[in-house]
Amino acid sequence: MTDFRIEKGADGVAIITWDTVGKSMNVMNAQGFLDLEALIDDALADAAVKGVIITSGKPGSFAGGMDLNVIAKMRDDAGDNPARGLFDGVMGMHAILRKIERAGMDPKTNKGGKPIAAALPGTALGIGLEIPLACHRIFAADNPSAKIGLPEIMVGIFPGAGGTTRLVRKLGAMAASPLLLEGKLNDPKKAKAAGVVDEVVPAYELIEKARAWVLSNPEIVKPWDDKGYKMPGGAPYHPAGFMTFVGASAMVNGKTQGAFPAARALLSAVYEGALVPFDTALRIEARWFVNVLLNPSSSAMIRSLFINKEALEKGANRPDLPDQRVKKVGVMGAGMMGAGIALVSAMAGIQVVLIDQKQEAADKGKAYTADFMDQGIKRGKATAEKKAATLDLITATTDYAALKGCDLIIEAVFEDPKVKAEVTREVLKVVDKDCIFATNTSTLPITELAKTSDTPENFIGIHFFSPVEKMMLVEIIKGQKTGPRAVAKALDYVRQIRKTPIVVNDARFFYCNRCIIPYINEGLRMVAEGVAPALIDNAARQLGFPVGPLQLVDETSIDLGAKIARATRAAMGEAYPDAAVDDVIFWMEGEGRLGRKSNAGFYDYDEKGKRQGYWPGLAAKYPRAAKQPDLYEVQHRLMFAQVLEAVRALEEGVLEDIREGDVGAILAWGFAPWSGGPFAWLDIIGTPYAAERCDQLAEKFGARFSTPKLLREMAAKGQSFYGRFGQKAVAA
Ligand code: NAD
């Protein structure tokens, strides 16, 4: 069985249907390309065939993209000369797509080709759009849930099967840039408005419309194969094009801070490709694509953001138990987190009971969903019916009796052990014995909170990040007595609400906050040392972090930082290591500079809350040191502060799987995505160098940078994290 088949009609139209065996959506693999080529050759050679339609055998979708495992394998199989192997492989893909595009035309006169249409029943991503772009006309079914686009940049590569070169030539660099640089996806109507697809037609007419076009003896020479082709918006030396390219370069570097190799390579491929004829542009695109594939960043990103993320979402670490999907969830506390949890649960079709102390508070929590749906309606992403159906699922009340029949409770009341214990006790009186009870605490140990319950095996942490509806990660925390069914339940719930889970063991601040806090603290220490605040935040942004540590603490609020510092100090006593940090944070708190929420923090804000420059009062209290540190030293301090915490979490068994450490870091706090996560970063720089650098930092800045035993041992043996701990990942 192959993934492509051909049917030749009596009217002379050959329909090539893509239907990947054993998958619900088409994905391209190495054999698939060869099969497609063979069928195209057949159709072009057959005198009875007048034209071709390429479509999909999967209802509602054309293709989800290339199987990225194939790219990883292509590089690994390329042996001693991976660059040459990859380049030849990519040029092979170009040759097949170019064959479709030229369709048997005479190379000189452009005469004699056969029209080839793409008929997309729905979603068409990556190679699933690059193939249509090589066809002569793209028909898309009017399917509003379909997504059409080139999302490669999101996993650290760029469209390398001609998509970059063709889209820029079809739309111009300006119009193509959000699609290529941001991986923006559109529904069919928007894709038509953007000029990506040519026609949107009712689904039931898709093939007939394409057939009629094929039989209409249409013009099929692509503009760029015609004499006198001019790039829309102008090529780089055209006055308008010049502005576009200069602007794009500045914009990309501003946004990425130069930290993402794929964005830079993409821009180079576009710019250089725009200066030369089409076939040369394809070679240039292939060179830059190979350049990106050979950068360790791209394999690390593909591994974390595609392969491992998907494995975790599919339950790589789920105990082997029957389906535990949630039918009715009780959410305790309708504040910021509870309201968001109710929203995402109801959106997933789960019945929700949302409880607060007063009816007004519960109603306010439910209104959050109504507001969210209203915004969706305004943007054309939701309907009034969907809003009504979602709201119908939420019961906002103060009455615990409504919790009867819940199979999962998520508690999100105040961060106070006494309040939490009281709520837990009251809930457990109402629900069945086998109901799983989860807490959304961010700082309190799960094992302690579980003591309120006489079924601690059913007690677990489900830690959301704020804002719940935006943040993709959910951290699941096992207390000492948490049983496998509670873990399976939490994982099945996270899958229902379409987020990515990691499962960790109980320890102070679990995994994510444990790593984020030292990042913020290292920034605050530098303030106390007189390092320029702009150097601190920009060093982080140039590493690819979405916000620097000072901006981050302004966003999360300085009094929250002070509260955590007080609680940690009380719990740790003499061993507390962060007194230098507290000086800064308590002083800021005392000055009433609580961050964005008080319109005053490390930054000044205008009356609309827009960030201005750094607050001058900071420099008055902590004068700038005459000699500022080197950028790399600042970056290494910020990086190692987090990464060493991740290594310690692994060493102590808080983390059981490095994939969770890497995926969690990127999704929870935007850890330099280009690196693939903390462990992937250590593998990129190499454990021997990492250990050496830690020794230097420890000598200069203190014991918090001491090389953990595990890292020291791995450095001595020359081991990598994925080499040593990746087996689990490979086996999954
Ligand atoms: P919040 O103050 O916005 O909401 C708490 C809600 O709980 C309030 O509406 C309050 O009236 C209600 N409540 C208090 N006692 C109650 C009781 N006895 N019965 C019913 N309802 C009661 O707080 P939040 O930011 O939503 O945080 C809630 C929990 O989530 C905390 O444990 C917090 O640590 C955790 N958390 C917060 C964040 C965050 O960024 N805010 C992130 C992750 C986890």
Side-chain angles (χ1 to χ4, degrees), residues 276-288:
V276 293
F278 186 78
D279 286 298
T280 315
L282 286 182
R283 290 181 76 79
I284 290 173
E285 183 194 290
R287 287 223 172 86
W288 280 113

Side-chain angles (χ1 to χ4, degrees), residues 435-658:
C435 173
I436 300 297
F437 190 102
T439 171
N440 181 46
T441 179
S442 26
T443 55
L444 303 169
I446 305 302
T447 307
E448 283 304 309
L449 294 177
K451 287 183 178 157
T452 316
S453 168
D454 53 8
T455 49
E457 68 277 16
N458 289 346
F459 199 101
I460 195 162
I462 300 186
H463 181 210
F464 285 87
F465 295 84
S466 170
V468 176
E469 62 280 11
K470 281 217 184 105
M471 300 296 286
M472 289 315 298
L473 192 82
V474 178
E475 188 176 25
I476 295 169
I477 305 112
K478 295 187 277 187
Q480 266 166 22
K481 295 193 174 159
T482 301
R485 201 173 64 81
V487 177
K489 185 99 194 166
L491 283 168
D492 290 357
Y493 168 68
V494 172
R495 193 167 181 180
Q496 278 174 282
I497 59 171
R498 294 166 166 237
K499 295 199 183 280
T500 309
I502 62 170
V503 182
V504 304
N505 286 304
D506 195 15
R508 182 179 302 286
F509 302 134
F510 318 133
Y511 170 65
C512 296
N513 285 342
R514 174 184 182 150
C515 299
I516 301 169
I517 292 169
Y519 169 61
I520 292 176
N521 284 355
E522 202 58 34
L524 297 177
R525 277 175 203 276
M526 288 190 231
V527 169
E529 290 166 21
V531 178
L535 175 56
I536 302 169
D537 276 346
N538 286 334
R541 294 188 56 227
Q542 286 176 16
L543 280 170
F545 286 87
V547 287
L550 305 182
Q551 194 185 335
L552 182 58
V553 79
D554 260 14
E555 299 292 338
T556 53
S557 96
I558 280 155
D559 50 332
L560 177 68
K563 190 174 160 213
I564 292 175
R566 282 192 196 96
T568 315
R569 192 188 273 247
M572 293 184 78
E574 286 296 300
Y576 185 70
D578 290 323
V581 177
D582 292 359
D583 286 350
V584 180
I585 201 101
F586 291 156
W587 176 71
M588 290 288 285
E589 188 188 36
E591 295 289 307
R593 310 244 0 146
L594 304 185
R596 175 182 287 285
K597 69 177 186 189
S598 66
N599 250 10
F602 286 99
Y603 286 87
D604 279 329
Y605 297 82
D606 67 14
E607 40 323 320
K608 286 192 186 131
K610 191 163 184 294
R611 212 158 17 88
Q612 309 292 305
Y614 288 98
W615 174 46
L618 194 63
K621 168 82 176 170
Y622 296 105
R624 304 277 151 83
K627 189 171 173 342
Q628 290 292 310
D630 166 50
L631 174 71
Y632 291 109
E633 182 175 281
V634 175
Q635 290 187 324
H636 273 178
R637 286 178 68 177
L638 293 174
M639 209 57 170
F640 277 104
Q642 308 164 66
V643 163
L644 290 183
E645 217 47 70
V647 173
R648 287 182 202 115
L650 179 68
E651 213 168 25
E652 293 164 18
V654 172
L655 269 181
E656 294 179 2
D657 182 340
I658 55 171

Side-chain angles (χ1 to χ4, degrees), residues 331-339 341 355-358 361-362 397-398 400 411-416 419-420 422-423 439-444 462-468 513 556 560 563:
V331 180
M332 309 307 297
M336 188 164 101
M337 298 305 285
I341 296 167
I355 291 200
D356 210 300
Q357 291 163 301
K358 297 225 170 74
T397 178
T398 56
Y400 278 46
E411 169 276 299
V413 299
F414 297 140
E415 190 74 337
D416 176 334
V419 178
K420 287 196 187 291
E422 179 58 28
V423 168
T439 171
N440 181 46
T441 179
S442 26
T443 55
L444 303 169
I462 300 186
H463 181 210
F464 285 87
F465 295 84
S466 170
V468 176
N513 285 342
T556 53
L560 177 68
K563 190 174 160 213

